Structure formats: C-alpha cells, structure tokens
Amino acid sequence: MAEHFRIPGHILDAIEAHRQACRDPMAAFFYDLPALAAQGSAMKAALPSGVELYYAIKANSEAAIIDTLAPVVDGLELSSGGEIERACACSTPRPWVLSGPGKLDADMREAMSRGVEAFHVESFGEVARLQAIAASLGHVQPVLVRINPSLPADFSSRLRMAGTATPFGIDEAQLADAVQAVDEASNLTLVGFHVHAMSHQKCEQRHQRLLAFYLERWPEWRALARHPEQVLQLNVGGGIGVNYLQPSEQFDWPGLCRALERCLSTMHEPPLVRFEIGRFLSAFCGYYAVEVLDTKVSHGEGFLVCRGGTHQFRLPAAQGHDHPVIHLPRDPRRSREGERRAWTVVGQLCTPKDVLSRQQALQGVEVGDLLVLPLAGAYGYNISHADFLCHPRPDQIFVSASREGSVPETRAQRRAEPVS
C-alpha cells in the first residue's frame, strides 16, 4: 500500500527537523496545511451552484486545521460546547450550526448567545427544551429537523446513522408531528431538514442514489410545514469515506457533484443543499511518524515495536483495518541491502490490541528507523485514548510552507495547549 504514497518534501523536512530536536524516540503528527487548503478549495470548486460545503470539525478540531479551512468552506458544523469554543476562536469567523444528540441546555444557551446559525433538532424533547431556552432569551431560533428516514437496503454503508434504530434524528413516520411541534413553538422557525444516513461511504454511485432519494422526498417533507416557503435548506450531512486499504482509489467527489447538479436542474424548487464533510476534507493532510524501538519475532510473526501506538492514533483499531506504512530508514543503503519480510507494527501499550498495521512487507527495518502512517488527518489523534498508560502526548506539527520556501514554517503544540 505504501507505494501509492509520496511524502511531500516539506513534510520530510519537518519530520527530520523535529527528530533532531527530540531527546527521546519520536512519535508525532505532521499536518500539511497547504495540502489541506488545496483539498478544501478543490472540493468547494466542484460544487454546483446552490450547494454549500461546511466542515464538520469533529474530524479534527485543532485550531490550525480550522483556521486553514475556514477561509475556504462556507461554514462549520459543531456538536458540543467545547467545539463552540474552538470554532468561535477561529481567525476567520464563519457561520456555524450545532447538531448531534444529547445537547446540554448550557450548550444550547451558549450557542444562541454566540450567534449560532441553526440547530439540528434530534427529538421532541429537544424541541421543547430549545423552545424554552429561546423564549427565556427573547430569541427566535432557526432550526432544521433531523430525519431518520426509511431507506432501501442497498443504500447501506459500514456505519449506518439512519434507516435503522439509532439515537440520531426523528423517525420519518413521526416527521409530521415533529414539524407541527416546531411550527407551534413560538420561538422556533423551521428552515429545513437534516439527513445524515451513512458514514464511510466509498462508492460514489451509491451516495449519488442516496442524495437522489433525499431530493425525491424533499417536496413531501417541505409540504408538512405550516410555512413551506420558509423551508429552504436540505442538509445532507457528510459520510464520504476514505479508502485506507486502496489509497489510489478514492471517492469520486467531482463525479458526485456533477450528478447532484443534474438532479437539482430537474427540480421545480430545489433546496439549498449543504454538505457537512469532515474526514474527506482533513484525512489526506496528516502523517503520524513513529520511531522503531524494538524488532522481534514471536511464534514466527515479526513485530516492530514503536514509540506511540493506538492511544495516540486510534484510527486503525477503530476502523478495523491495517494502515498503510511508509518506511524511512536512518541509513537508506542498509535498508536496500536488508532482509524483506512481513512485519506487524505495534505500539507501547500493554494490550495485544495495540496494533497499527499487520503483515506489512518492509525491507531492512532496524531500531531507530521511522515509520510514517499517512491519511492521519481525520479521526486519528482526536478520537484516541491518549491517557491510557500515561505516556506523553504526541507533538503535533503544523507545516504551513512548502519546499519553495527555504525552510518549512512549522507550529508545534501539545494536545492540551492552544496554538499560539
């Protein structure tokens, strides 16, 4: 798998510079901010007219990531009070929405006081709580009702968020009652619907059919409202997957956008469509670099024991895959002459589940070499159990210049510290 990856020169420079500064063996994340901005710009440029791109910051909510994407995207999607703090600290203020189940009253109140664009309401109880808070503030709040629709079986993906029993949204069978509840709430205004049904979707044709299904249902959903002329937004969520196992075969985003444009062009009153993309925006900019501490063979299987592990990069364990691995030897000559064999790459944790990748064919690996795991910019460190065994938290290096500049400009931070 690693042959599909070429680490950019400015990232290699940053890795080497950071390694020289480390007293102990290295485990660190490196983020290519120019590549992140380019990915966001390309995705935004592919959108048809009347379609917006929001960044779902749960994928990676580090300040440098948000600051890089904010000037490119149309807005941000948030799901907690902590994410509100991060989004509102962004150097480029953007519109933002608050979604997700289990919203705290304190978070909803804080969101209103800080100018939230809209809430995605997930239940009848949330409608009632939001109405009470809005009334107490003398505020009229736009909302979208999140729908859990009935879906054809062939629309499924690895992680279903709707079309089955889930904590997310209101069942389509109850949608008329939900719309009525919002319409009768004097301090709430229905402006649209939110449907996020699938995650890890790697098939463009399947996602195209899913969006067409939403748009087919749109007129019926909209007609339920007391004032349908005010119901203009259809938020289709995200769910675009990254192909970690076949990195050269990624989701055809431009193809999806072309199909969506054709579909919208046939509609009499098309909605304003909004995507909330996380993984497919930020995954490609990240690299997790770990140093080999030990090599060993156990019951015939070779292991590379590395600094770090799944407590810092939980993605492979969470996804259940063997992550691509790139070998950066200290001495390239010895690497070319060494034995080529299959290695299982593991970390420092006292559990056999601390596996980053299995059966990786690598040549001449020695203690002190680096292994780099690409596609580490989304749902990697930020979903990890960093305090397990109390190992030090990894450095995060944000590289903001390419090799065209003589020296890469970097910003390093620990997870618990703000970016300066």
Side-chain angles (χ1 to χ4, degrees), residues 135-200:
S136 72
L137 296 173
H139 178 70
V140 176
Q141 177 60 56
V143 303
L144 286 78
V145 172
R146 182 169 181 175
I147 306 171
N148 184 341
S150 300
L151 295 173
D154 65 339
F155 285 175
S156 183
S157 69
R158 280 192 59 208
L159 187 62
R160 297 186 67 175
M161 311 289 284
T164 187
T166 76
F168 308 108
I170 296 171
D171 288 357
E172 189 174 6
Q174 299 176 297
L175 183 58
D177 292 337
V179 169
Q180 182 179 356
V182 174
D183 280 340
E184 292 179 352
S186 58
N187 292 81
L188 303 182
T189 300
L190 181 67
V191 297
F193 298 100
H194 176 214
V195 195
H196 176 52
M198 306 295 170
S199 289
H200 306 304

Side-chain angles (χ1 to χ4, degrees), residues 29-37 55-73 76 86 90-91 277-278 281-287 376-378 382 396-399 411 413 419:
F29 286 87
F30 297 83
Y31 301 100
D32 187 342
L33 298 184
L36 176 63
Y55 174 50
I57 77 169
K58 61 178 68 69
N60 189 325
S61 59
E62 297 299 334
I65 301 295
I66 299 173
D67 284 346
T68 299
L69 284 175
V72 176
V73 299
L76 307 173
R86 294 196 176 201
C90 178
S91 59
I277 304 294
L281 271 167
S282 63
F284 302 97
C285 79
Y287 301 83
N382 64 312
Q396 299 195 86
I397 313 299
F398 300 92
V399 185
R411 286 184 285 171
Q413 70 170 112
V419 176

Side-chain angles (χ1 to χ4, degrees), residues 140-318:
V140 176
Q141 177 60 56
V143 303
L144 286 78
V145 172
R146 182 169 181 175
I147 306 171
N148 184 341
S150 300
L151 295 173
D154 65 339
F155 285 175
S156 183
S157 69
R158 280 192 59 208
L159 187 62
R160 297 186 67 175
M161 311 289 284
T164 187
T166 76
F168 308 108
I170 296 171
D171 288 357
E172 189 174 6
Q174 299 176 297
L175 183 58
D177 292 337
V179 169
Q180 182 179 356
V182 174
D183 280 340
E184 292 179 352
S186 58
N187 292 81
L188 303 182
T189 300
L190 181 67
V191 297
F193 298 100
H194 176 214
V195 195
H196 176 52
M198 306 295 170
S199 289
H200 306 304
Q201 185 70 273
K202 291 182 284 190
C203 175
E204 177 268 322
Q205 291 83 2
R206 184 179 294 165
H207 211 68
Q208 176 183 331
R209 294 196 301 272
L210 183 65
L211 297 185
F213 174 82
Y214 296 163
L215 292 170
E216 181 182 335
R217 303 289 286 152
W218 165 256
E220 183 178 336
W221 293 340
R222 188 186 188 207
L224 296 172
R226 181 178 298 168
H227 301 287
E229 70 281 0
Q230 297 178 3
V231 180
L232 303 175
Q233 296 183 33
L234 178 60
N235 188 309
V236 297
I240 309 302
V242 169
N243 195 333
Y244 296 98
L245 301 182
Q246 296 176 295
S248 63
E249 300 179 12
Q250 296 297 344
F251 188 96
D252 182 8
W253 174 258
L256 178 72
C257 291
R258 290 191 296 269
L260 177 58
E261 184 174 29
R262 290 193 296 270
C263 196
L264 291 171
S265 69
T266 66
M267 299 182 68
H268 172 57
E269 292 183 311
L272 169 67
V273 175
R274 178 178 293 166
F275 285 98
E276 296 170 351
I277 304 294
R279 186 188 307 270
F280 203 73
L281 271 167
S282 63
F284 302 97
C285 79
Y287 301 83
Y288 180 50
V290 296
E291 189 165 333
V292 178
L293 302 176
D294 198 4
T295 66
K296 60 186 296 184
V297 176
S298 175
H299 290 260
E301 183 175 354
F303 289 87
L304 300 176
V305 182
C306 300
R307 183 72 188 270
T310 58
H311 62 301
Q312 296 180 355
F313 187 52
R314 186 171 171 261
L315 174 65

Side-chain angles (χ1 to χ4, degrees), residues 53-63 65-67 69-70 73-90 92-104 107-108 110-112 114-122 126 146 168 194 196 235 237 274-278 379:
L53 178 64
Y54 273 41
Y55 174 50
I57 77 169
K58 61 178 68 69
N60 189 325
S61 59
E62 297 299 334
I65 301 295
I66 299 173
D67 284 346
L69 284 175
V73 299
D74 295 296
L76 307 173
E77 184 264 335
L78 320 177
S79 297
S80 73
E83 289 192 343
I84 292 172
E85 290 296 325
R86 294 196 176 201
C88 289
C90 178
T92 304
R94 305 302 294 152
W96 51 276
V97 298
L98 191 68
S99 63
K103 299 180 187 70
L104 299 178
D107 291 343
M108 293 194 287
E110 178 73 6
M112 284 189 208
R114 302 187 77 160
V116 63
E117 176 192 344
F119 284 85
H120 298 169
V121 292
E122 303 265 354
E126 192 169 283
R146 182 169 181 175
F168 308 108
H194 176 214
H196 176 52
N235 188 309
R274 178 178 293 166
F275 285 98
E276 296 170 351
I277 304 294
Y379 297 110

